[in-house]
Amino acid sequence: MIQIIAIGVLFFCLLFIQRQLYTRLWEKGLYVTLSFSREHVWEGEQGELKEIIENRKRLPLSMLKVKFKTDKHLLFADQKGSRTTDQFYRNDVFRINGGEKVTRTLTFEGGRRGYYTIDSLTLVASDLFFTTQMVDDFPVHTSIYVYPKPFESAEFKRSLTQLNGEVLARRHLLEDPFEYRGIREYQPYDDIKDINWKATAKTGDLKVNQKNYTSLKSVQVFYNVEDDNIMKKEDCVEASLRIVAGLCSFFLAQGIQVSCFGNALDGLTGEHMEITAKSGNGQLDTILRGLARLDLEKPVADFTELFEEMLIKGQNGLLTCFVAPNQYEDFLQLLQRYQDTGRDYVWFYPLNGKQEPELPSGISARVRFIHLDT
């Protein structure tokens, strides 16, 4: 009987000692890292997240849970130990011996355009006999961009081919100050030196010379994703950003400088997009990163207020591409004013269904409807 009591006392002493030991030492020499294997993936493309756990002390950890959360639009293939509600919650369980390093690779798919981060993780460890648990939070930072996949459809390709034939084959027009292609009404933004005084005298109204063109070096892309209707057009708004990606990819691939502007707000900076004209793959990455970071949950800025002066008073001879899924009155009026300057533009209008909205006759000739259900 005394031996049994002694064994029991010894057992509880060992239990107490190992519990104290683990409570004090379980975090010592324990290193956990999470990292995405790439800086970006495309929508629908697979990526990898690596978990690396290293226990540099001799004390083994019979149970170690690594918990973290990230956005639900990163679609992980292995759902064991995870749940998805407003976010994706992961709970991986390891057994780590002393001096051991374990690496686990989790594959996922970029389900939707975005900029996704993991900013913290929680470690839960147990002593040898699972009688107590120790918990601590650790800061980490790893991030990945999911680029919007450039829009693809037969209709969109035909529109690009038409642009290529009508504009790009003329090597992208810039005004030539020594050649003229006609006369038009004077506008307040016109330079006095462009007034054609002979035509003005004949008509009694101020007239200006319209200059001819030489080779175009730059294209500017503007997107307006205002969507204030009761029935939201979320799929059309996202398609707008994919069309922007497709346009920028198309022109940059031909060595043309591209600038990109829009009224959605960056989820990191809180600013709207203003990317000045450059060429090359670096410019495409800059634009795609900006598009990935847009937070469409935030109210968009007023497009006309942001860009009217830039458009009306800006450099002439640029090809301008507008992308917008709605025809709000202030936007239509801005397009009409822009058209009155004699500048070239094309409006890409994504929509669901076959019914195309009626637009003012002067504007409708510049519109390319992109049907999402074809």
Side-chain angles (χ1 to χ4, degrees):
M1 185 66 181
I2 295 176
Q3 288 181 337
I4 295 175
I5 294 174
I7 292 173
V9 171
L10 180 60
F11 174 76
F12 281 108
C13 288
L14 291 173
L15 192 65
F16 176 78
I17 291 171
Q18 65 88 33
R19 181 186 297 177
Q20 293 297 111
L21 188 65
Y22 271 91
T23 300
R24 289 176 52 200
L25 300 178
W26 74 277
E27 293 179 283
K28 184 178 180 180
L30 181 63
Y31 299 90
V32 180
T33 60
L34 298 175
S35 61
F36 291 105
S37 58
R38 296 164 57 187
E39 292 185 354
H40 77 267
V41 296
W42 296 92
E43 284 180 309
E45 187 182 13
Q46 282 197 339
E48 294 181 343
L49 175 67
K50 288 189 176 182
E51 290 179 279
I52 301 176
I53 300 95
E54 187 174 4
N55 184 17
R56 297 181 184 176
K57 60 182 175 296
R58 294 184 179 181
L59 193 68
L61 297 173
S62 54
M63 188 276 292
L64 178 68
K65 295 179 181 179
V66 179
K67 298 182 177 184
F68 65 88
K69 65 181 179 180
T70 189
D71 196 277
K72 64 182 179 181
H73 293 109
L74 295 182
L75 309 177
F76 284 83
D78 179 9
Q79 293 289 318
K80 184 178 179 182
S82 64
R83 61 187 175 89
T84 303
T85 54
D86 58 325
Q87 290 189 302
F88 174 79
Y89 296 87
R90 184 85 187 183
N91 183 8
D92 289 324
V93 181
F94 300 87
R95 184 185 186 283
I96 309 293
N97 293 321
E100 186 177 9
K101 180 179 179 181
V102 175
T103 300
R104 181 175 292 178
T105 301
L106 306 174
T107 60
F108 64 89
E109 178 184 309
R112 195 174 77 174
R113 170 199 63 81
Y115 173 68
Y116 304 120
T117 64
I118 301 175
D119 297 312
S120 66
L121 59 85
T122 300
L123 297 182
V124 181
S126 174
D127 61 11
L128 281 175
F129 299 100
F130 303 97
T131 61
T132 188
Q133 288 189 344
M134 294 75 69
V135 181
D136 204 356
D137 294 324
F138 289 83
V140 297
H141 182 73
T142 185
S143 61
I144 190 167
Y145 286 91
V146 178
Y147 286 172
K149 186 177 181 180
F151 192 86
E152 292 182 356
S153 74
E155 189 174 42
F156 185 55
K157 288 180 180 178
R158 285 195 298 270
S159 296
L160 292 179
T161 301
Q162 187 176 9
L163 270 182
N164 190 61
E166 294 179 359
V167 183
L168 304 180
R170 297 185 303 180
R171 287 317 303 157
H172 309 288
L173 312 176
L174 280 176
E175 284 191 342
D176 188 333
F178 304 105
E179 295 186 20
Y180 298 91
R181 62 185 175 95
I183 297 171
R184 60 171 172 80
E185 295 286 339
Y186 174 83
Q187 300 292 333
Y189 49 79
D190 287 322
D191 198 311
I192 294 295
K193 67 182 181 182
D194 292 331
I195 294 177
N196 186 315
W197 295 107
K198 186 176 181 179
T200 297
K202 284 184 178 180
T203 62
D205 296 316
L206 282 173
K207 301 289 184 179
V208 294
N209 294 310
Q210 282 188 285
K211 298 168 185 175
N212 213 336
Y213 297 102
T214 57
S215 130
L216 178 69
K217 310 257 191 231
S218 184
V219 172
Q220 53 186 3
V221 179
F222 287 83
Y223 60 85
N224 178 6
V225 290
E226 182 181 358
D227 187 26
D228 292 335
N229 299 316
I230 296 175
M231 298 295 293
K232 297 294 184 182
K233 297 182 179 179
E234 294 180 3
D235 51 348
C236 293
V237 170
E238 285 293 336
S240 296
L241 300 181
R242 291 196 290 272
I243 289 171
V244 170
L247 287 169
C248 294
S249 300
F250 175 74
F251 290 118
L252 286 168
Q254 300 184 57
I256 299 169
Q257 292 188 345
V258 173
S259 56
C260 189
F261 307 89
N263 59 344
L265 300 182
D266 189 309
L268 288 182
T269 67
E271 303 291 333
H272 64 273
M273 180 183 287
E274 288 196 20
I275 298 175
T276 56
K278 289 183 181 178
S279 60
N281 290 332
Q283 178 73 343
L284 182 58
D285 272 337
T286 299
I287 292 171
L288 292 172
R289 286 179 178 232
L291 294 173
R293 290 199 307 266
L294 296 180
D295 185 354
L296 298 180
E297 297 296 322
K298 296 180 178 179
V300 301
D302 184 276
F303 186 86
T304 301
E305 183 178 316
L306 285 176
F307 301 119
E308 180 173 19
E309 184 175 358
M310 178 188 299
L311 287 165
I312 301 301
K313 296 183 179 180
Q315 181 181 351
N316 205 344
L318 302 177
L319 171 64
T320 301
C321 294
F322 294 99
V323 184
N326 285 299
Q327 70 275 16
Y328 295 113
E329 187 62 29
D330 60 338
F331 181 62
L332 294 179
Q333 291 173 359
L334 175 59
L335 291 186
Q336 189 61 62
R337 291 193 293 275
Y338 189 67
Q339 184 169 312
D340 290 342
T341 68
R343 290 171 166 90
D344 289 318
Y345 76 88
V346 179
W347 174 10
F348 290 88
Y349 191 148
L351 74 163
N352 273 319
K354 303 293 184 183
Q355 186 66 36
E356 297 176 355
E358 292 187 10
L359 297 169
S361 57
I363 293 175
S364 60
R366 309 289 185 102
V367 176
R368 304 291 183 269
F369 290 110
I370 306 297
H371 298 84
L372 305 187
D373 53 356
T374 57

